[in-house]
Amino acid sequence: MGAAVGADEKGSVNVELNIVPFIDLMSCLVMFLLASAVWVNIARIDIQPKGKSLAQSAVTEVEDKVILSVLIQKERVWICKSRDGSCSEIPKPSPTAEHDWDKFEVTLAEYKASGDFVDRRDLEIAAESTKSSPVNYKDVISAMDVALRVGFGDVGLSDPAGLAARPQQ
């Protein structure tokens, strides 16, 4: 950036600022703004919090509605119904392989086709992660993607302890 300062024969000081660098900087900033605004809208996952909160009172009303819960663990995925406590286990084929998302999709589609969930779109998902067996973020997103593909549009992320139905291990 430069400026030309000089005095002519009348004694006036004339300053000419070079504004090209300012224009370059503004065009770069506008480009980053537009790219990030588009990316934020494309890469968004709409989730609603589900389950019980920690601040909720100990006395809860008995709900007649059946809730479908998905619990993701490092070595398996559980799908449980709240009314009867029945759970379907989908183990990993091997410890180094990914979860069997095709089997998860088929099992979830069977639950969706059952009488309790035909007209419903709600589902709660939780990941139970420990230091010795951490759950990857990719697995949670894959489970949400499968749930959306099957027809559960109202997918909520919950705390593992707050799931309506959990496997009895």
Side-chain angles (χ1 to χ4, degrees), residues 3-160:
V5 179
D8 57 3
E9 60 265 356
K10 294 183 183 176
S12 66
V13 178
N14 187 12
V15 177
E16 293 179 13
L17 289 178
N18 185 4
I19 62 170
V20 172
F22 290 118
I23 295 171
D24 290 344
L25 178 66
M26 287 304 296
S27 64
C28 288
L29 290 176
V30 167
M31 186 271 309
F32 281 115
L33 173 71
L34 292 175
S36 63
V38 169
W39 180 80
V40 166
N41 285 330
I42 290 174
R44 180 181 58 196
I45 297 176
D46 292 326
I47 60 171
Q48 301 295 323
K50 299 283 184 190
K52 303 172 193 168
S53 70
L54 295 176
Q56 190 175 9
S57 66
V59 179
T60 58
E61 297 178 16
V62 177
E63 291 186 12
D64 190 34
K65 182 171 81 168
V66 181
I67 298 172
L68 193 61
S69 302
V70 175
L71 179 65
I72 304 168
Q73 295 175 332
K74 177 73 175 174
E75 57 279 338
R76 66 186 55 87
V77 176
W78 295 92
I79 304 173
C80 301
K81 285 173 57 174
S82 66
R83 179 172 292 160
D84 56 3
S86 64
C87 293
S88 299
E89 178 184 5
I90 304 169
K92 267 189 174 181
S94 70
T96 58
E98 287 193 24
H99 288 285
D100 190 357
W101 296 118
D102 294 330
K103 185 174 180 184
F104 176 71
E105 184 171 2
V106 168
T107 307
L108 209 56
E110 290 172 359
Y111 277 105
K112 178 72 174 163
S114 71
D116 292 326
F117 302 103
V118 164
D119 299 337
R120 307 244 320 264
R121 297 175 35 91
D122 57 324
L123 173 76
E124 60 181 7
I125 294 178
E128 191 169 56
S129 188
T130 61
K131 286 187 179 184
S132 61
S133 62
V135 174
N136 293 331
Y137 179 71
K138 177 184 170 192
D139 294 337
V140 176
I141 298 301
S142 295
M144 288 180 172
D145 287 341
V146 170
L148 288 172
R149 244 189 340 262
V150 169
F152 289 100
D154 186 15
V155 178
L157 192 60
S158 179
D159 180 46

